[in-house]
Amino acid sequence: MPDQARPGTGEQAKQHALERLRQAILRGDMAPAQRLVENELAEQLGVTRASVRGALFELEAEGLVERIRNRGSRVRVVTVEEAVAITECRMVLEGLCAAKAAESATDDQLAELTGLGEAMAKAVADGEPVTYSELNHQLHTRIRQFSGQRTAVELLEKLNAQLVRHRFRLALRPGRPQQSLGEHLAMVETITARDPQAAEEAARAHLTSVIAALRE
Amino acid sequence: MPDQARPGTGEQAKQHALERLRQAILRGDMAPAQRLVENELAEQLGVTRASVRGALFELEAEGLVERIRNRGSRVRVVTVEEAVAITECRMVLEGLCAAKAAESATDDQLAELTGLGEAMAKAVADGEPVTYSELNHQLHTRIRQFSGQRTAVELLEKLNAQLVRHRFRLALRPGRPQQSLGEHLAMVETITARDPQAAEEAARAHLTSVIAALRE
DNA sequence: GAGAACAATATTGTTGACAATGTAGTCCGT
DNA sequence: ACGGACTACATTGTCAACAATATTGTTCTC
């Protein structure tokens, strides 16, 4: 396995650089608006500049970095206003996914959703916001997957990536898990009841609540 | 202005190649699933292979071409099923835009929408499907712009680009303009009435009709 | 004659060097 | 001392050559 150890040069250099950079940005290792110099990153990651360059283009398409011609790249900072606009898009798209999931998920999948809902309730009861946030993310992901809407899933993943910083902020807000738990359970219930319209309503209600919380 | 004349070499080679290739694909100059060889394109466009390569990566991110590692690029063919999934995403996103436009458009902008509606009615009465299709596209574009939802606009432009071929197919279908005219006018009316909820309803109803038509 | 291994070709992936561009610091004139 | 132009540096954009990989045509064996 010459991959995990030192994939530095030759093989899929660009993919490697892309993954490393994306992780670094998503984990917040890089200060917001920090300048990204291609040469520095190349040396740091042990790949050539061309690979870094390609990765940066890809990240620009994903909305994670900003590029100005002949001026360089920075990690993109998402203002609260933008976060709201993005979440409004999420609202309608997740509504669509919830409705489709209610129609076309298998019984096994519905059981998994119910299980996730119970786990979330337990996490709130035990006062574990980190676990809750994990489960939250997982629930949304599963619902999307069960909808079978590949296009919507792609769009949502891209949108979500841009929101990591704000998501973090929300998760640690005291009282927030208690409020969102009910909304999440409503989503699970309506989907398992195979009621598309109610599921869409529930998803939109939840995201509306997220928007309100984003605005503080 | 050394740009319009012969941008072939040196300056913004990649941007130039990108634009040319995108236009070529959108205009249907390239057969579906046609193989895109980097060298050929480079010579054809008068730029280097690296520029073509960069442009192809960008087009992949936009969903217009498909790339397989070490195997090359093809113009992506969108199956009817995919077109339906994409249009479902359009449905909810345009619903959002219509609602926002109803809230935040200026009176001047509303007047422009009314004008477009009248022009569309005239085009149908005169039996000019091409003009109608143009106006159709323009109406949707304007509504998006007036919504002020930059994120949604970007997503929609990307989605629409993938549908050009199917859009064409629909526009030339006899009887289709007559059916969609009413739906479009309903959108204009509800938006100018500044009724967000009704506007969203109208937009979704229209796109639902488009989905039905796509399925033949 | 059919199938499989092999070699030749075509195409993409990668690299290092070079050119273009923007930025900042400095020098000169007033 | 202050403003403007000019030079030097840093950084990105572009290019042409090289290496890796998949495909196709050929030959050899059964």
Side-chain angles (χ1 to χ4, degrees), chain A residues 164-196:
Chain A
V164 265
R165 209 167 293 270
H166 292 276
R167 182 199 312 281
F168 224 70
R169 217 168 39 109
L170 274 195
L172 298 177
R173 185 108 114 243
R176 177 74 202 149
Q178 283 78 358
Q179 183 183 345
S180 76
L181 176 62
E183 300 161 8
H184 282 132
L185 292 181
M187 289 169 60
V188 172
E189 271 175 45
T190 50
I191 293 175
T192 51
R194 296 206 176 279
D195 183 340

Side-chain angles (χ1 to χ4, degrees), chain B residues 4-5 21 38 40 42 57 111 135-137 168 201-202 207 210:
Chain B
Q4 196 73 323
L21 278 176
E38 297 179 357
E40 290 179 13
F57 273 105
L135 291 168
N136 177 350
H137 189 67
F168 224 70
E201 279 292 321
L207 271 294
V210 170

Side-chain angles (χ1 to χ4, degrees), chain B residues 83-181:
Chain B
V84 169
I86 291 173
T87 308
E88 283 172 337
C89 291
R90 273 187 64 198
M91 176 180 72
V92 294
L93 287 170
E94 296 218 20
L96 173 68
C97 286
K100 290 286 172 179
E103 281 176 358
S104 61
T106 67
D107 290 341
D108 286 352
Q109 293 173 332
L110 293 186
E112 187 180 342
L113 294 186
T114 306
L116 275 171
E118 288 166 3
M120 290 175 84
K122 183 173 184 305
V124 168
D126 295 355
E128 305 211 24
V130 180
T131 306
Y132 179 78
S133 178
E134 285 274 333
L135 291 168
N136 177 350
H137 189 67
Q138 206 172 333
L139 175 67
H140 282 268
T141 304
R142 278 281 182 273
I143 292 177
R144 292 201 295 261
Q145 287 175 349
F146 298 165
S147 76
Q149 296 281 97
R150 233 190 47 209
T151 307
V153 169
E154 273 173 44
L155 295 180
L156 281 169
E157 310 245 306
K158 211 182 105 180
L159 291 178
N160 272 315
Q162 301 178 31
L163 292 178
V164 265
R165 209 167 293 272
H166 291 278
R167 181 200 311 282
F168 224 70
R169 214 168 41 108
L170 274 196
L172 298 177
R173 184 107 116 243
R176 176 74 200 147
Q178 284 77 358
Q179 184 184 347
S180 76
L181 176 61

Side-chain angles (χ1 to χ4, degrees), chain A residues 11-28:
Chain A
E11 47 234 85
Q12 299 136 318
K14 180 178 149 189
Q15 291 304 319
H16 174 66
L18 178 61
E19 204 49 46
R20 287 279 303 268
L21 279 176
R22 189 181 312 169
Q23 289 300 326
I25 294 176
L26 293 184
R27 286 166 66 174

Side-chain angles (χ1 to χ4, degrees), chain A residues 48-184:
Chain A
T48 61
R49 191 165 77 91
S51 302
V52 172
R53 193 178 169 71
L56 285 176
F57 274 106
E58 199 111 5
L59 289 173
E60 181 193 22
E62 290 180 31
L64 290 179
V65 310
E66 212 175 9
R67 291 179 59 81
I68 317 174
R69 188 181 167 82
N70 287 322
R71 295 261 247 126
S73 321
R74 315 169 99 75
V75 329
R76 175 154 168 255
V77 285
V78 177
T79 66
V80 171
E81 208 143 335
E82 278 176 301
V84 169
I86 291 173
T87 308
E88 282 172 338
C89 291
R90 274 187 63 198
M91 175 181 73
V92 294
L93 287 170
E94 296 217 20
L96 173 68
C97 286
K100 290 285 172 179
E103 280 175 359
S104 60
T106 68
D107 289 342
D108 285 352
Q109 293 172 334
L110 293 186
E112 188 181 342
L113 294 186
T114 305
L116 274 171
E118 288 166 4
M120 290 174 85
K122 184 172 184 305
V124 169
D126 294 355
E128 304 211 24
V130 180
T131 307
Y132 180 77
S133 177
E134 284 276 331
L135 291 169
N136 177 349
H137 188 67
Q138 205 171 333
L139 175 67
H140 283 267
T141 303
R142 277 282 183 272
I143 291 177
R144 293 200 295 260
Q145 286 175 349
F146 297 165
S147 75
Q149 296 280 97
R150 231 189 48 208
T151 307
V153 169
E154 273 174 42
L155 294 180
L156 281 169
E157 310 245 307
K158 210 182 104 181
L159 292 178
N160 272 314
Q162 300 178 31
L163 292 178
V164 265
R165 209 167 293 270
H166 292 276
R167 182 199 312 281
F168 224 70
R169 217 168 39 109
L170 274 195
L172 298 177
R173 185 108 114 243
R176 177 74 202 149
Q178 283 78 358
Q179 183 183 345
S180 76
L181 176 62
E183 300 161 8
H184 282 132

Side-chain angles (χ1 to χ4, degrees), chain B residues 58-98:
Chain B
E58 200 109 5
L59 290 172
E60 181 194 22
E62 290 180 32
L64 290 178
V65 311
E66 211 175 13
R67 290 179 59 80
I68 318 172
R69 191 183 164 81
N70 286 324
R71 293 265 244 120
S73 321
R74 314 171 101 76
V75 328
R76 176 156 166 253
V77 285
V78 177
T79 67
V80 171
E81 207 142 338
E82 279 176 302
V84 169
I86 291 173
T87 308
E88 283 172 337
C89 291
R90 273 187 64 198
M91 176 180 72
V92 294
L93 287 170
E94 296 218 20
L96 173 68
C97 286

